Amino acid sequence: FIFASSIISILIAIMKKKIYDINILFSLGAKNKLIYYIFLWYSLIYIIFGIIFGTSIGLLASYYFDSIIQNFEEFLNIKIFPSNAYFINFIPVKIIYSDVLCIISLIFLLVITCSSYSIFKIIRKNSIKSILS
């Protein structure tokens, strides 16, 4: 959800910066559907790259979690999970790919839904008055 909200805020910022271009397209005779598809492609590009990079970094971090913690402990010269304080001295990590796929699809649907809403909001709010102001 943090990823989805950051993508949505990026898309809203892009659309607010492009409001002048949207008005020019409207004045040239572009329909709402064309504007919608243009910004939907923007959001799809951001979603796909974000999902690819976010999932790959997350899977690599969880796959090498033990070695990351060991390197962190050696770097700071402290023991994160001392054996005299905790029953276990490691964090068990198991990657369940069906959960990963479920999270990816949920984020994809959430971002598409929210970006579609924001695109409709910008298109509905758009008018020639914003060029003059």
Side-chain angles (χ1 to χ4, degrees), residues 8 22 99 118 126:
I8 291 165
I22 292 171
D99 289 346
S118 62
N126 190 12

Side-chain angles (χ1 to χ4, degrees), residues 94-112:
K94 182 179 178 184
I95 300 171
I96 302 171
Y97 290 103
S98 62
D99 289 346
V100 172
L101 185 63
C102 180
I103 290 169
I104 288 172
S105 60
L106 211 121
I107 287 175
F108 187 79
L109 289 173
L110 180 69
V111 172
I112 287 293

Side-chain angles (χ1 to χ4, degrees), residues 32-42 44 119 123:
N32 287 346
K33 201 175 208 180
L34 177 66
I35 306 292
Y36 173 75
Y37 286 138
I38 288 170
F39 284 104
L40 191 63
W41 276 109
Y42 269 128
L44 284 175
I119 292 168
I123 287 174

Side-chain angles (χ1 to χ4, degrees), residues 48-98:
I48 290 170
F49 281 120
I51 285 176
I52 288 170
F53 289 128
T55 304
S56 60
I57 289 171
L59 288 175
L60 284 173
S62 62
Y63 185 71
Y64 294 111
F65 190 74
D66 290 332
S67 61
I68 291 171
I69 293 296
Q70 288 173 355
N71 290 335
F72 190 69
E73 287 175 347
E74 289 174 7
F75 179 71
L76 294 179
N77 199 17
I78 61 168
K79 193 76 171 157
I80 294 177
F81 300 113
S83 59
N84 59 354
Y86 297 103
F87 180 67
I88 57 172
N89 57 358
F90 65 95
I91 296 176
V93 177
K94 182 179 178 184
I95 300 171
I96 302 171
Y97 290 103
S98 62

